[in-house]
């Protein structure tokens, strides 16, 4: 036999199957390209989306969308410039002075739903569902879904079961943050129709430090259920400061000149369907309400 | 706040400014500025509200950066010229660096971005100290520097008057309005710094009087936005009548005090063959005048729809001290006829 025949290399098909076998540790499906998550054996947390695309495959480069974006931002910039001549927030000062009630969010068409984000514990692997749609006759917004307090099976989460709806941060041109200035008002006015469940209203004001990014001012919204609408007026002085859901000892009043978002959260540990219908969310000035802050801060170590 | 601590901090504030006034060595001047910054930090944060702490942090960072740049500039000057004398700042590089550092300290455009946010986070008294006392020490240094870069100072001045006017146009928060007014006035002061430092000092003093009366009147009304200020007619009708005059004085209209510095500065600029600069400065002052007028319209010329729970609080005697308001208001309104006397005092 010649040397060439003895040292014959295995066929290409045999070689390639061995190569694939090493990469195919958990799954059987043949992979065209090795994925980092598979090779390195990353644990996918419950609720995280599956990583089956490389990061560069997620890019959608579209020239026309880019042009639209440029046009939109420059239009917003021009509008800001011209509004600056008119008055605060683009309205004459007389309007600002005479304003006593303002409807901030009103659900009268599909574009009003674009300003809101819904989420639930589905993100951490829970089983709640939440949906947002327009109510009858496009007159209200309808937040509904199912609450499930089964915790996700990740070994570290003990409690679960929440659903929330939160307004998006208002943005000026070029995606700069804009804030709601509610300093002429002192009460939040909502018209809701719930199903008897207790909700939490969360207001997020503008913060500066990274540690404050989860600072939320909260208060309760007890819905009465039934087919009747309820008008809820909550003074802003009643909102208390929480951080990551825990009430803080060091309480401060909510400053209304830079409010970012408002949200509604349900987490009442009662599994089952829920619904909340909101007609409008507004702010108003209650002249009879003179309280500045509802919670007293006592000195914890008074000098004697 | 504990009175001992308060006294210590106020003493520190006074000491810092005095040290800077009395110094002829750059290191001592820097030390005075740092002492000022550090003494006012606890006063700013005493409310402990997150926004107050944010304002304090922003103030500290900008002032520390400015002080570091100042130190670097003075060390560079010592390296290049071999001496630390404040009035002997001769090399252009350290002079420019120090001028910019002092501009950041006082809030001149384009280094003004911190001032409205910082003032907004503070209560009115601390904002008042920030707007008036904290400007003295940097100005003491600016007045002593021989400017080698004339264009820089004119640019800083014109940018400040423009940005102070433009930025204040749409504010409804009073502290931000006063911040932008401060920026605009500082612009006027810097414009004439290289030609006649006495005029800068005069403008600074009249600005202090007018701002003091504005802050004190806002403090008496306990108002921080236009809508609350609009209820002052029921609380203090006398002050409501005088406030438009003070605002017009801030805007620089004759025959009020605020006209005096503007007139003298425009005269000086014209004498120095800078008529276009003078025109531009006068035109940008119109922007500031617009928002002062709007404020006086909202406060005095309209009976606001914002009613009060008690209909006539002016019937009750107030326990607030009114002597500072009375003094500063009178001075900020009726000093114009004394212009020759003021000029004579300053040119000694």
């Amino acid at each position: 036999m010649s040397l060439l025949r003895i040292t014959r290399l295995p066929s290409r098909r045999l070689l390639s199957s061995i190569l694939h076998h090493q990469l195919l540790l958990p799954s059987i499906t043949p992979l065209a390209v090795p994925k980092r998550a598979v090779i390195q054996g990353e644990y996918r947390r419950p609720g995280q989306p599956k990583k089956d695309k490389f990061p560069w495959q997620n890019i959608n480069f579209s020239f026309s969308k880019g042009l639209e974006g440029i046009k939109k931002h420059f239009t917003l910039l021009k509008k800001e410039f011209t509004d600056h001549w008119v008055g605060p927030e683009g309205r004459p000062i007389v309007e600002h002075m005479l304003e006593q009630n303002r409807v901030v969010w009103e659900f009268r068409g599909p574009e009003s739903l674009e300003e809101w984000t819904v989420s639930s514990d589905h993100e951490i692997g829970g089983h709640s569902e939440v949906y947002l749609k327009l109510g009858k006759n496009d007159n209200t917004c309808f937040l509904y879904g199912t609450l499930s307090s089964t915790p996700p099976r990740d070994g570290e989460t003990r409690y679960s079961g929440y659903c929330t709806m939160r307004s998006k941060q208002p943005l000026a041109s070029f995606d700069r943050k804009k804030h709601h200035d509610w300093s002429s008002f002192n009460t939040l006015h909502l018209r809701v129709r719930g199903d008897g469940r207790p909700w939490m209203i969360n207001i997020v004001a503008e913060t500066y430090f990274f540690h404050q990014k989860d600072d939320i001012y909260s208060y309760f919204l007890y819905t009465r259920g039934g087919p009747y609408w309820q008008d809820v007026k909550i003074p802003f002085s009643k909102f208390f400061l929480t951080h990551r859901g825990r009430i803080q000892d060091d309480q401060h009043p909510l400053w209304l000149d830079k409010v970012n978002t408002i949200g509604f959260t349900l987490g009442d540990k009662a599994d089952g369907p829920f619904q909340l219908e909101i007609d409008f969310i507004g702010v108003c000035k209650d002249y009879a309400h003179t309280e500045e802050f509802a919670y007293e801060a006592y000195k914890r170590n008074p000098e004697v | 706040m504990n009175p001992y601590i308060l006294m210590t901090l106020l003493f520190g504030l006074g000491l810092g400014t005095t040290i800077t006034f009395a110094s002829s060595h750059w290191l001592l001047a820097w030390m005075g500025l740092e002492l000022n910054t550090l003494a006012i930090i606890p006063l700013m944060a005493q409310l402990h509200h997150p926004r107050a702490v944010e304002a304090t942090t922003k103030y500290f960072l900008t002032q520390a950066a400015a002080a570091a740049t100042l130190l670097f500039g003075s060390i560079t000057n010592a390296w290049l010229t071999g001496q630390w004398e404040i009035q002997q700042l001769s090399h252009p590089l350290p002079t420019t660096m120090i001028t910019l550092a002092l501009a950041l300290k006082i809030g001149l455009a384009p280094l003004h971005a911190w001032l409205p946010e910082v003032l907004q986070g503070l209560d009115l008294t601390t904002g008042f100290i920030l707007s008036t006392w904290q400007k003295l020490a940097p100005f003491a240094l600016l007045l002593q520097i021989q400017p080698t870069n004339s264009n820089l100072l004119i640019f800083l001045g014109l940018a400040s008057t423009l940005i102070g006017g433009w930025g204040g146009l749409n504010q409804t928060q009073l502290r931000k309005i006063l911040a932008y007014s401060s920026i605009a006035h500082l612009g006027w002061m810097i414009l004439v710094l290289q030609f006649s430092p006495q005029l800068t000092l005069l403008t600074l003093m009249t600005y202090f009087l007018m701002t003091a009366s504005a802050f004190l009147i806002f403090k008496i009304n306990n108002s921080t936005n236009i809508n609350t200020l609009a209820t002052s007619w029921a609380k203090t009708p006398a002050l409501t009548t005088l406030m438009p005059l003070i605002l017009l004085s801030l805007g620089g209209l004759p025959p009020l005090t605020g006209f005096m510095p503007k007139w003298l500065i425009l005269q000086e600029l014209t004498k120095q063959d800078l008529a276009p600069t003078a025109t531009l400065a006068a035109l940008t002052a119109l922007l500031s005048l617009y928002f002062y007028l709007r404020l006086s319209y909202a406060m005095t010329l309209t009976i606001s729809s914002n009613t009060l729970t008690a209909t006539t609080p002016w019937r009750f005697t107030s326990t607030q001290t009114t002597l500072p308001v009375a003094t500063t208001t009178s001075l900020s309104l009726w000093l114009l006829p004394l212009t020759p006397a003021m000029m004579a005092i300053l040119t000694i």
Side-chain angles (χ1 to χ4, degrees), chain B:
Chain B
M1 193 182 247
N2 189 345
Y4 299 120
I5 308 275
L6 184 62
M7 284 303 119
T8 312
L9 292 171
L10 290 176
F11 177 71
L13 269 183
L15 183 65
T17 307
T18 315
I19 285 180
T20 310
F21 279 174
S23 62
S24 53
H25 192 290
W26 271 116
L27 280 185
L28 196 63
W30 169 79
M31 191 185 94
L33 289 172
E34 287 284 82
L35 192 50
N36 252 356
T37 309
L38 291 175
I40 204 175
I41 296 293
L43 286 175
M44 289 166 73
Q46 64 182 318
L47 193 52
H48 293 296
H49 192 279
R51 292 285 296 280
V53 174
E54 170 192 338
T56 313
T57 312
K58 283 180 177 165
Y59 184 72
F60 175 69
L61 288 173
T62 50
Q63 299 289 306
T69 315
L70 185 86
L71 193 59
F72 183 51
S74 48
I75 291 175
T76 311
N77 184 57
W79 179 262
L80 290 170
T81 60
Q83 45 80 26
W84 293 88
E85 183 71 38
I86 291 182
Q87 291 176 345
Q88 303 293 330
L89 199 62
S90 44
H91 199 278
L93 174 64
T95 314
T96 313
M97 227 185 305
I98 288 177
T99 313
L100 288 175
L102 291 168
L104 178 57
K105 272 250 174 225
I106 52 180
L108 276 173
L111 306 160
H112 65 285
W114 57 276
L115 191 56
E117 292 299 322
V118 167
L119 267 184
Q120 175 67 7
L122 304 176
D123 55 312
L124 284 165
T125 322
T126 321
F128 171 41
I129 298 178
L130 202 97
S131 289
T132 50
W133 188 258
Q134 296 289 77
K135 309 261 186 279
L136 278 173
F139 260 104
L141 295 174
L142 272 172
L143 285 169
Q144 295 179 66
I145 295 175
Q146 319 299 330
T148 53
N149 195 344
S150 141
N151 290 334
L152 174 69
L153 290 175
I154 295 184
F155 167 68
L156 285 174
L158 283 178
S160 301
T161 50
L162 184 60
I163 292 181
W166 176 257
L169 271 185
N170 262 338
Q171 302 297 336
T172 52
Q173 299 288 332
L174 294 175
R175 290 165 289 185
K176 279 194 176 171
I177 288 181
L178 286 175
Y180 283 107
S181 121
S182 161
I183 296 171
H185 277 98
L186 290 171
W188 279 90
M189 290 176 219
I190 290 295
L191 267 179
V192 81
L193 183 64
Q194 49 187 313
F195 306 118
S196 174
Q198 301 91 340
L199 274 183
T200 305
L201 196 57
L202 176 70
T203 317
L204 188 67
M205 292 298 127
T206 46
Y207 166 69
F208 278 179
L209 284 175
M210 299 184 293
T211 287
S213 31
F215 263 108
L216 290 169
I217 292 180
F218 293 155
K219 183 111 183 62
I220 284 184
N221 286 316
N222 200 19
S223 55
T224 51
N225 59 351
I226 290 187
N227 283 339
T228 327
L229 194 66
T231 58
S232 68
W233 62 272
K235 296 180 210 165
T236 47
L239 280 180
T240 311
T241 325
L242 281 177
M243 190 62 176
L245 294 175
I246 294 169
L247 290 167
L248 289 177
S249 182
L250 270 168
L253 284 189
L256 305 165
T257 311
F259 179 59
M260 174 168 61
K262 289 209 163 65
W263 168 28
L264 294 168
I265 289 176
L266 288 175
Q267 191 175 23
E268 186 62 38
L269 285 176
T270 322
K271 276 191 216 162
Q272 301 284 341
D273 263 341
L274 284 172
T277 311
T279 317
L280 209 55
L283 286 175
T284 50
L286 285 176
L287 290 171
S288 314
L289 184 63
Y290 180 61
F291 63 76
Y292 295 132
L293 275 174
R294 179 190 260 173
L295 201 55
S296 51
Y297 169 74
M299 187 176 176
T300 311
L301 301 177
T302 54
I303 298 271
S304 168
S305 52
N306 285 298
T307 53
L308 298 169
T309 47
T311 45
T312 51
W314 59 266
R315 288 192 184 275
F316 306 113
T317 45
S318 154
T319 51
Q320 309 205 32
T321 50
T322 48
L323 181 60
V325 174
T327 325
T328 48
T329 309
S330 324
L331 286 175
S332 67
L333 293 182
W334 314 128
L335 266 185
L336 189 65
L338 282 176
T339 307
M342 312 280 282
M343 293 297 294
I345 293 174
L346 285 171
T347 45
I348 287 173

Side-chain angles (χ1 to χ4, degrees), chain A residues 124 149-161 246 269:
Chain A
I124 57 166
S149 49
T150 321
R153 308 265 297 264
D154 58 0
E156 53 184 6
T157 314
R158 285 188 293 172
Y159 312 107
S160 182
R246 297 179 202 279
K269 301 190 252 235

Side-chain angles (χ1 to χ4, degrees), chain A residues 198-265:
Chain A
W199 290 73
M200 198 102 165
I201 304 183
N202 304 320
I203 297 184
V204 177
E206 173 68 7
T207 52
Y208 181 62
F209 298 101
F210 167 74
H211 317 92
Q212 291 170 329
K213 78 170 162 60
D214 298 314
D215 271 3
I216 293 178
Y217 292 85
S218 313
Y219 200 67
F220 315 103
L221 170 67
Y222 288 103
T223 51
R224 296 286 167 233
Y228 303 108
W229 287 91
Q230 64 185 109
D231 270 288
V232 177
K233 276 190 170 182
I234 305 175
F236 287 115
S237 60
K238 301 282 188 201
F239 280 79
F240 52 85
L241 177 64
T242 65
H243 179 81
R244 297 186 71 119
R246 297 179 202 279
I247 305 180
Q248 299 301 299
D249 287 333
D250 202 16
Q251 283 294 325
H252 299 290
L254 167 64
W255 278 26
L256 291 159
D257 58 340
K258 281 193 175 155
V259 172
N260 280 353
T261 65
I262 194 172
F264 301 92
T265 307

